[in-house]
Amino acid sequence: MYCQQCEQTAGGKACTKIGVCGKTDETARLQDELTGALITVSRKGIDISDKQLSEGLFATLTNVNFDNTALERLIAQVGQPYYDLNKVCDADENVKSLKTLLLLGVRGIAAYAYHALVLGRDVSEICAFLRKGLAAIGEPDWGMDELLPLVMEAGKVNLSVLEILDRANTETYGIPAPAKVTMEVEKGAFIVISGHDLRDLKLLLEQTDGKGVNVYTHGEMLPAHGYPEMRKYSHLKGNFGTAWQNQQREFADVPAPVLFTTNCLMPPKDSYKDRIFTTAVVGYPELTHIGEDKDFSPVIEKALELGGYHENSKFTGINGGAELTTGFAHGTVLSVADKLIEAVKNGQISRFFLVGGCDGARPGRNYFTDFVKQAPKDSVILTLACGKYRFNDLDLGTVAGLPRILDMGQCNDAYSAIKVAVALAEAFNCGVNDLPLSLVISWYEQKAVSILLTLLHLGIKNIILGPTLPAFVSPAVLNFLVEKFNIAPTTTPEADLKKILER
Ligand code: SF4
Ligand code: SF3
């Protein structure tokens, strides 16, 4: 195997024997074959459905599908000889770097397209770009001149898909509003639901209604508490646990089943394997997978059988806090835009930091906790995605009547942050780069890659990226990113804050 698509890749270079994520050599080969088959389809102009295309690509994201049978089925459905991805690896290092960047961007876009498609949205234009991007990866003679514009276009297309998804979510589940979410688990039967698929949560809430089974979010499902159509269910109680990389510890002795929607699933330990269920694109051998009929009865039965805790049980976030807040999507933040602008003008708010992105297991990720703790007391921390669990239980007080940490949602809601930044720039009659706004982004998997490409497409400069830079970025491509966008790796919170505040 040869995989370097995520931040935890072995030795900071590539996984070649077994994935640090737990992906086997065989699974990696099947994921390459699936990608290769989709490249062939795109190069030959063969018509496959947008669902098949986005689902196939989504299945190759990190921590999504470890189930070889499911991957074989997806390959058989495409039914084309696969383009050999080794040709990408053997190319000139800059071509390899750009083709990898394009492929990972395409995978991230496909994930968002899939979520929008599930909510009945038309993503045909998005998928047309996915086909164009995949076809380009198979072009034998393309160099930097041809590939670089496509990489930048991926950022533009990702912005479109995020906008489509934002509209799909808010039109289906309402405009998110601020919500306080407890980490206490009430006694009695319950289900934990993880991942990004809001539709699965909604269906689970409907199917558990009146059954004496409570529902708790986990990981990226936390922002669901902000949506009116979810909050109306009184048995949606709170949030269990923290970010994805702690699941093997947090699920070890929980007396309840966990339903994984896509993504991030880790190989389950034997101690809790019988309690894990999967649905949507996520999969792992031998786990019960709930198919397209979305009949969650086996999960509900398991919850009733396990019975939950005997007493109410208190849990805390990684900093000891017992309550989280979410629901500060663009609708809420922009409804107080006048107040924010006034607070910046009169000096109450000195700066906005967008600190967020994907979390991961590396110890260096404490950087993001320390950064937020050390940020000036009159600054506002906008956050999104699972990286927020590093600090979302901290009580940093308020500024200008608003909590200092504003959780804008999942990584799927990056559009919210962009919308707020653009609106502030308009209000101040300046460019986004001239705002008192700094972006400190953590990355892990391929959706973060597509979001990063969107930020670059918008011309956003001075992004600080960590905890490490992607292994697939060649020196020449890195040089381009530094010269054009002044992108920089994280160093220490102290040094990076100093640099930002002196700018
Ligand atoms: Fe390694 Fe990441 Fe690929 Fe898994 S997804 S095999 S950890 S690079
Ligand atoms: Fe996290 Fe997987 Fe990316 Fe949606 S849950 S941000 S890593």
Side-chain angles (χ1 to χ4, degrees):
M1 70 185 284
Y2 184 86
C3 186
Q4 52 177 191
Q5 70 171 355
C6 81
E7 195 271 339
Q8 67 179 359
T9 193
K13 292 199 171 71
C15 295
T16 53
K17 293 193 174 69
I18 185 161
V20 176
C21 60
K23 185 158 86 180
T24 63
D25 186 46
E26 176 68 359
T27 305
R29 182 180 65 76
L30 290 168
Q31 290 184 349
D32 283 354
E33 285 186 18
L34 178 54
T35 308
L38 294 170
I39 290 176
T40 303
V41 161
S42 305
R43 283 172 65 74
K44 289 187 179 168
I46 295 167
D47 200 21
I48 60 167
S49 71
D50 292 345
K51 169 99 187 321
Q52 213 183 336
L53 178 64
S54 57
E55 186 177 357
L57 287 166
F58 201 173
T60 67
L61 254 76
T62 303
N63 293 65
V64 172
N65 207 315
F66 300 82
D67 184 359
N68 294 349
T69 315
L71 293 168
E72 278 161 0
R73 195 184 57 243
L74 289 167
I75 294 167
Q77 280 167 2
V78 179
Q80 288 295 318
Y82 56 89
Y83 173 85
D84 183 3
L85 281 180
N86 285 321
K87 288 186 192 157
V88 173
C89 296
D90 295 340
D92 157 86
E93 70 163 359
N94 296 323
V95 170
K96 176 189 163 196
S97 181
L98 285 177
K99 283 189 173 179
T100 306
L101 192 51
L102 181 59
L103 175 61
L104 303 193
V106 158
R107 284 180 175 165
I109 297 168
Y112 296 131
Y114 175 86
H115 286 301
L117 226 151
V118 163
L119 293 177
R121 300 296 148 143
D122 176 3
V123 288
S124 50
E125 281 184 26
I126 307 296
C127 288
F129 175 80
L130 298 180
R131 292 182 176 90
K132 184 163 114 178
L134 287 170
I137 291 160
E139 282 295 342
D141 303 321
W142 281 22
M144 295 218 9
D145 291 348
E146 292 85 4
L147 292 167
L148 208 44
L150 265 182
V151 168
M152 298 314 287
E153 193 180 342
K156 182 172 168 208
V157 175
N158 189 56
L159 180 60
S160 306
V161 77
L162 286 174
E163 186 179 0
I164 295 171
L165 182 56
D166 180 82
R167 212 173 312 127
N169 285 338
T170 49
E171 285 175 6
T172 313
Y173 306 115
I175 308 281
K180 284 195 190 317
V181 183
T182 178
M183 296 188 86
E184 178 170 292
V185 178
E186 289 181 19
K187 65 179 178 190
F190 69 100
I191 296 170
V192 176
I193 177 168
S194 189
H196 299 72
D197 292 271
L198 295 176
R199 180 167 170 266
D200 291 326
L201 170 61
K202 178 74 164 75
L203 294 172
L204 182 69
L205 288 168
E206 284 169 8
Q207 291 179 32
T208 44
D209 204 7
K211 298 236 170 80
V213 176
N214 289 331
V215 175
Y216 290 82
T217 56
H218 169 265
E220 278 282 70
M221 206 53 96
L222 166 67
H225 290 273
Y227 290 97
E229 282 301 309
M230 306 288 188
R231 290 153 73 114
K232 70 180 191 194
Y233 294 94
S234 58
H235 63 297
L236 173 63
K237 290 290 183 185
N239 189 71
F240 178 89
T242 55
W244 68 269
Q245 76 278 0
N246 302 321
Q247 64 189 254
Q248 290 174 331
R249 181 167 42 80
E250 291 176 343
F251 295 158
D253 51 11
V254 57
V258 181
L259 174 62
F260 265 93
T261 75
T262 332
N263 41 328
C264 274
L265 174 73
M266 293 171 87
K269 301 268 188 209
D270 288 342
S271 57
Y272 65 89
K273 212 173 182 168
D274 61 326
R275 286 178 270 130
I276 303 288
F277 296 80
T278 57
T279 193
V281 196
V282 74
Y284 197 88
E286 294 168 36
L287 298 186
T288 307
H289 186 80
I290 310 292
E292 297 278 328
D293 66 356
K294 300 290 174 186
D295 177 359
F296 294 123
S297 316
V299 193
I300 299 169
E301 279 158 24
K302 194 72 172 175
L304 291 167
E305 177 196 319
L306 292 166
Y309 294 106
H310 298 302
E311 296 299 332
N312 288 4
S313 302
K314 287 193 195 304
F315 295 96
T316 62
I318 65 166
N319 302 290
E323 189 179 69
L324 311 171
T325 344
T326 187
F328 288 92
H330 61 86
T332 298
V333 177
L334 291 180
S335 71
V336 292
D338 289 352
K339 212 167 139 189
L340 284 175
I341 292 158
E342 190 49 39
V344 173
K345 285 189 176 153
N346 69 21
Q348 268 181 292
I349 294 177
S350 67
R351 180 161 282 274
F352 297 90
F353 293 97
L354 177 67
V355 189
C358 298
D359 206 356
R362 273 184 209 267
R365 287 183 181 262
N366 292 340
Y367 168 96
F368 298 96
T369 320
D370 296 338
F371 187 96
V372 166
K373 280 185 182 166
Q374 291 174 29
K377 301 270 175 287
D378 56 359
S379 65
V380 173
I381 315 287
L382 305 171
T383 189
L384 48 83
C386 64
K388 63 171 157 272
Y389 281 98
R390 295 273 161 183
F391 49 80
N392 65 345
D393 63 326
L394 289 171
D395 182 4
L396 294 189
T398 58
V399 60
L402 282 168
R404 280 195 52 219
I405 300 182
L406 301 179
D407 176 12
M408 310 192 91
Q410 300 180 333
C411 59
N412 297 23
D413 302 309
Y415 179 71
S416 254
I418 290 165
K419 206 158 158 116
V420 166
V422 170
L424 286 177
E426 274 169 19
F428 284 105
N429 203 12
C430 67
V432 172
N433 289 317
D434 304 315
L435 285 172
L437 167 71
S438 306
L439 282 74
V440 185
I441 309 285
S442 56
W443 85 282
Y444 169 67
E445 37 84 13
Q446 297 76 58
K447 289 189 281 181
V449 173
S450 64
I451 291 172
L452 186 66
L453 293 177
T454 294
L455 298 174
L456 301 183
H457 153 71
L458 291 169
I460 295 177
K461 294 188 174 167
N462 305 323
I463 296 171
I464 296 180
L465 183 68
T468 60
L469 291 181
F472 52 83
V473 173
S474 68
V477 172
L478 182 61
N479 202 25
F480 167 80
L481 295 177
V482 173
E483 277 187 5
K484 189 144 192 241
F485 300 102
N486 201 25
I487 202 162
T490 48
T491 61
T492 63
E494 296 78 9
D496 288 346
L497 266 168
K498 188 163 179 277
K499 186 170 79 181
I500 288 169
L501 298 175
E502 281 172 357
R503 196 170 272 149

